[in-house]
Short mmCIF file of all heavy atoms in Angstrom, two decimals:
data_model
loop_
_atom_site.label_atom_id
_atom_site.label_comp_id
_atom_site.label_asym_id
_atom_site.label_seq_id
_atom_site.Cartn_x
_atom_site.Cartn_y
_atom_site.Cartn_z
N PHE U 661 7.74 17.74 12.40
CA PHE U 661 7.65 17.25 13.72
C PHE U 661 6.63 17.94 14.60
O PHE U 661 6.54 17.81 15.87
CB PHE U 661 8.99 17.14 14.43
CG PHE U 661 9.92 16.20 13.93
CD1 PHE U 661 10.92 16.68 13.02
CD2 PHE U 661 10.04 14.90 14.29
CE1 PHE U 661 11.89 15.81 12.44
CE2 PHE U 661 10.97 14.04 13.84
CZ PHE U 661 11.86 14.47 12.85
N ASP U 662 5.94 18.90 13.96
CA ASP U 662 4.96 19.84 14.72
C ASP U 662 4.07 19.02 15.56
O ASP U 662 3.66 19.52 16.75
CB ASP U 662 4.16 20.65 13.76
CG ASP U 662 5.02 21.84 13.28
OD1 ASP U 662 6.29 21.98 13.81
OD2 ASP U 662 4.55 22.78 12.53
N VAL U 663 3.64 17.86 15.15
CA VAL U 663 2.55 17.04 15.86
C VAL U 663 3.08 16.62 17.26
O VAL U 663 2.31 16.38 18.20
CB VAL U 663 2.09 15.95 14.99
CG1 VAL U 663 3.30 14.84 14.93
CG2 VAL U 663 1.10 15.23 15.53
N ILE U 664 4.44 16.46 17.46
CA ILE U 664 4.96 16.12 18.84
C ILE U 664 5.79 17.24 19.41
O ILE U 664 6.29 17.03 20.50
CB ILE U 664 5.83 14.84 18.63
CG1 ILE U 664 7.03 15.02 17.70
CG2 ILE U 664 4.96 13.70 18.17
CD1 ILE U 664 8.03 13.91 17.79
N LEU U 665 5.71 18.37 18.86
CA LEU U 665 6.66 19.39 19.33
C LEU U 665 6.24 19.91 20.65
O LEU U 665 7.22 20.03 21.56
CB LEU U 665 6.69 20.60 18.31
CG LEU U 665 7.75 21.59 18.44
CD1 LEU U 665 9.16 20.87 18.24
CD2 LEU U 665 7.60 22.71 17.32
N ASP U 666 4.98 20.07 21.08
CA ASP U 666 4.52 20.56 22.39
C ASP U 666 5.07 19.70 23.34
O ASP U 666 5.48 20.12 24.50
CB ASP U 666 3.11 20.76 22.33
CG ASP U 666 2.65 22.08 21.62
OD1 ASP U 666 3.43 22.80 21.24
OD2 ASP U 666 1.42 22.10 21.35
N ASP U 667 4.93 18.27 23.20
CA ASP U 667 5.31 17.36 24.16
C ASP U 667 6.76 17.40 24.39
O ASP U 667 7.29 17.10 25.58
CB ASP U 667 4.73 15.99 23.72
CG ASP U 667 3.38 15.76 23.85
OD1 ASP U 667 2.74 16.49 24.78
OD2 ASP U 667 2.77 15.02 23.12
N LEU U 668 7.44 17.63 23.40
CA LEU U 668 8.94 17.56 23.57
C LEU U 668 9.48 18.91 24.21
O LEU U 668 10.39 18.81 25.07
CB LEU U 668 9.60 17.43 22.07
CG LEU U 668 9.44 16.04 21.56
CD1 LEU U 668 10.23 16.05 20.10
CD2 LEU U 668 10.04 14.90 22.29
N THR U 669 8.81 19.98 23.81
CA THR U 669 9.42 21.23 24.36
C THR U 669 8.96 21.46 25.73
O THR U 669 9.44 22.36 26.41
CB THR U 669 8.83 22.51 23.54
OG1 THR U 669 7.46 22.44 23.50
CG2 THR U 669 9.52 22.41 22.15
N ALA U 670 8.03 20.52 26.26
CA ALA U 670 7.77 20.62 27.65
C ALA U 670 8.95 20.28 28.58
O ALA U 670 9.08 20.60 29.74
CB ALA U 670 6.60 19.73 27.93
N GLN U 671 9.88 19.49 28.00
CA GLN U 671 11.08 19.05 28.75
C GLN U 671 12.38 19.41 28.23
O GLN U 671 13.36 19.38 28.85
CB GLN U 671 11.04 17.53 28.90
CG GLN U 671 9.81 17.08 29.68
CD GLN U 671 9.77 15.64 30.01
OE1 GLN U 671 10.84 15.03 30.42
NE2 GLN U 671 8.60 14.83 29.90
N ARG U 672 12.42 19.77 26.79
CA ARG U 672 13.67 19.98 26.21
C ARG U 672 13.72 21.30 25.41
O ARG U 672 12.53 21.71 25.06
CB ARG U 672 14.01 18.81 25.23
CG ARG U 672 13.94 17.42 25.78
CD ARG U 672 15.10 17.23 26.83
NE ARG U 672 16.33 17.24 26.17
CZ ARG U 672 16.96 16.01 25.72
NH1 ARG U 672 16.44 15.00 25.98
NH2 ARG U 672 18.25 16.19 25.19
N GLU U 673 14.84 21.87 25.24
CA GLU U 673 14.90 22.98 24.07
C GLU U 673 15.01 22.12 22.79
O GLU U 673 15.96 21.45 22.66
CB GLU U 673 16.11 23.74 24.35
CG GLU U 673 16.20 24.93 23.24
CD GLU U 673 17.51 25.66 23.25
OE1 GLU U 673 18.56 25.16 23.77
OE2 GLU U 673 17.49 26.77 22.64
N VAL U 674 14.10 22.44 21.93
CA VAL U 674 14.01 21.66 20.72
C VAL U 674 14.51 22.45 19.52
O VAL U 674 13.93 23.65 19.38
CB VAL U 674 12.63 21.05 20.39
CG1 VAL U 674 12.59 20.44 19.11
CG2 VAL U 674 12.19 20.14 21.66
N ILE U 675 15.38 22.03 18.72
CA ILE U 675 15.93 22.80 17.59
C ILE U 675 15.52 22.01 16.36
O ILE U 675 15.73 20.75 16.19
CB ILE U 675 17.37 22.93 17.54
CG1 ILE U 675 18.01 23.54 18.78
CG2 ILE U 675 18.01 23.59 16.40
CD1 ILE U 675 18.42 22.61 19.90
N THR U 676 14.68 22.60 15.57
CA THR U 676 14.21 22.01 14.22
C THR U 676 14.90 22.74 13.20
O THR U 676 15.04 24.00 13.12
CB THR U 676 12.61 22.12 14.16
OG1 THR U 676 12.26 23.49 14.30
CG2 THR U 676 12.01 21.18 15.13
N VAL U 677 15.38 21.97 12.13
CA VAL U 677 16.03 22.63 11.00
C VAL U 677 15.38 22.24 9.66
O VAL U 677 14.74 21.20 9.60
CB VAL U 677 17.57 22.13 10.96
CG1 VAL U 677 18.20 22.53 12.12
CG2 VAL U 677 17.59 20.62 10.81
N ASP U 678 15.64 23.18 8.75
CA ASP U 678 15.36 22.86 7.28
C ASP U 678 16.65 22.39 6.66
O ASP U 678 17.64 23.20 6.59
CB ASP U 678 14.82 24.07 6.55
CG ASP U 678 13.42 24.45 6.97
OD1 ASP U 678 12.63 23.59 7.27
OD2 ASP U 678 13.07 25.74 6.85
N LEU U 679 16.67 21.25 6.20
CA LEU U 679 17.88 20.68 5.42
C LEU U 679 17.98 21.50 4.15
O LEU U 679 17.07 22.14 3.64
CB LEU U 679 17.79 19.19 5.18
CG LEU U 679 17.82 18.20 6.35
CD1 LEU U 679 17.42 16.82 5.78
CD2 LEU U 679 19.26 18.28 6.93
N PRO U 680 19.14 21.56 3.57
CA PRO U 680 19.42 22.29 2.29
C PRO U 680 18.47 21.69 1.15
O PRO U 680 18.36 20.53 0.89
CB PRO U 680 20.90 22.04 1.87
CG PRO U 680 21.61 21.65 3.26
CD PRO U 680 20.43 20.95 4.12
N GLY U 681 17.78 22.74 0.50
CA GLY U 681 16.91 22.40 -0.51
C GLY U 681 15.37 22.14 0.05
O GLY U 681 14.52 21.94 -0.78
N PHE U 682 15.35 22.36 1.37
CA PHE U 682 13.93 22.07 1.80
C PHE U 682 13.54 23.36 2.82
O PHE U 682 14.36 23.85 3.41
CB PHE U 682 13.81 20.80 2.70
CG PHE U 682 14.22 19.62 1.87
CD1 PHE U 682 15.52 19.08 1.75
CD2 PHE U 682 13.22 18.92 1.14
CE1 PHE U 682 15.80 18.03 1.01
CE2 PHE U 682 13.52 17.83 0.28
CZ PHE U 682 14.80 17.44 0.33
N GLY U 683 12.18 23.42 2.95
CA GLY U 683 11.80 24.66 3.82
C GLY U 683 12.40 26.01 3.23
O GLY U 683 12.32 26.26 2.10
N ASP U 684 13.12 26.68 4.20
CA ASP U 684 13.65 27.99 3.81
C ASP U 684 15.21 27.95 3.65
O ASP U 684 15.85 29.03 3.79
CB ASP U 684 13.19 29.07 4.74
CG ASP U 684 11.73 29.28 4.65
OD1 ASP U 684 11.09 29.31 3.51
OD2 ASP U 684 11.09 29.52 5.63
N THR U 685 15.79 26.78 3.46
CA THR U 685 17.21 26.78 3.34
C THR U 685 17.61 26.48 1.97
O THR U 685 16.99 25.66 1.32
CB THR U 685 17.82 25.52 4.17
OG1 THR U 685 17.51 25.74 5.63
CG2 THR U 685 19.27 25.37 3.99
N PRO U 686 18.53 27.18 1.45
CA PRO U 686 18.94 27.06 -0.04
C PRO U 686 19.48 25.64 -0.23
O PRO U 686 19.89 24.97 0.64
CB PRO U 686 19.94 28.21 -0.21
CG PRO U 686 19.80 29.07 0.87
CD PRO U 686 19.19 28.35 2.12
N GLU U 687 19.40 25.38 -1.48
CA GLU U 687 20.05 23.99 -2.01
C GLU U 687 21.45 24.10 -1.78
O GLU U 687 22.21 25.05 -1.68
CB GLU U 687 19.76 23.74 -3.32
CG GLU U 687 18.22 23.49 -3.71
CD GLU U 687 18.08 23.09 -5.14
OE1 GLU U 687 18.25 21.93 -5.48
OE2 GLU U 687 17.65 23.93 -5.95
N LEU U 688 22.01 22.77 -1.66
CA LEU U 688 23.55 22.53 -1.66
C LEU U 688 24.10 23.04 -2.96
O LEU U 688 23.47 22.97 -4.10
CB LEU U 688 23.92 21.10 -1.49
CG LEU U 688 23.68 20.43 -0.13
CD1 LEU U 688 23.68 19.01 -0.23
CD2 LEU U 688 24.50 21.06 0.94
N THR U 689 25.25 23.56 -2.92
CA THR U 689 25.95 24.00 -4.12
C THR U 689 26.46 22.88 -4.95
O THR U 689 26.66 22.83 -6.22
CB THR U 689 27.08 24.99 -3.78
OG1 THR U 689 27.95 24.38 -2.87
CG2 THR U 689 26.54 26.25 -3.27
N GLY U 690 26.89 21.76 -4.31
CA GLY U 690 27.35 20.57 -4.98
C GLY U 690 26.31 19.38 -4.93
O GLY U 690 25.16 19.62 -4.90
N GLU U 691 26.74 18.22 -5.14
CA GLU U 691 25.97 17.03 -5.16
C GLU U 691 25.25 16.80 -3.86
O GLU U 691 25.86 16.90 -2.73
CB GLU U 691 26.90 15.85 -5.63
CG GLU U 691 25.94 14.64 -5.97
CD GLU U 691 26.81 13.51 -6.61
OE1 GLU U 691 28.09 13.63 -6.44
OE2 GLU U 691 26.32 12.45 -7.04
#
Side-chain angles (χ1 to χ4, degrees):
F661 294 96
D662 280 358
V663 68
I664 60 172
L665 200 56
D666 286 347
D667 288 331
L668 293 177
T669 56
Q671 298 190 39
R672 307 292 294 263
E673 180 193 20
V674 177
I675 304 99
T676 52
V677 298
D678 289 330
L679 290 172
F682 300 94
D684 293 320
T685 299
E687 291 185 81
L688 291 169
T689 55
E691 193 174 3

